[in-house]
Amino acid sequence: MAGIADKFDKAYEEKPITELADAPVASLQGVSDSDAEHLKAAFNIKTVRDLGTNKYFLWAQAVAKLAE
């Protein structure tokens, strides 16, 4: 899990991966509560898992990867 925990706010750095997946999006470093509210309003994204499995984000990631 090295390299993952340090992407979260300090309160989440010691949590197991299953808890990180279900943590609020705002627990990610650099994602504010306001950002989290925008993600929720636009895409119904509430958790890190929701963000990581959102079809629009996955499609964009695939396009970016293919364009490399």
Side-chain angles (χ1 to χ4, degrees):
M1 213 171 79
I4 297 292
D6 66 346
K7 306 299 187 249
F8 285 80
D9 292 338
K10 284 213 179 279
Y12 292 86
E13 287 181 350
E14 300 296 321
K15 304 278 185 188
I17 195 75
T18 53
E19 286 187 41
L20 293 178
D22 293 326
V25 178
S27 66
L28 290 165
Q29 287 185 9
V31 178
S32 68
D33 289 335
S34 176
D35 295 333
E37 285 301 316
H38 284 76
L39 287 167
K40 182 179 176 185
F43 300 104
N44 197 33
I45 291 172
K46 299 175 221 150
T47 67
V48 173
R49 184 186 313 272
D50 293 340
L51 181 64
T53 59
N54 179 276
K55 67 181 178 183
Y56 302 109
F57 290 92
L58 292 173
W59 293 346
Q61 185 179 32
V63 169
K65 196 69 170 163
L66 290 169
E68 289 180 352

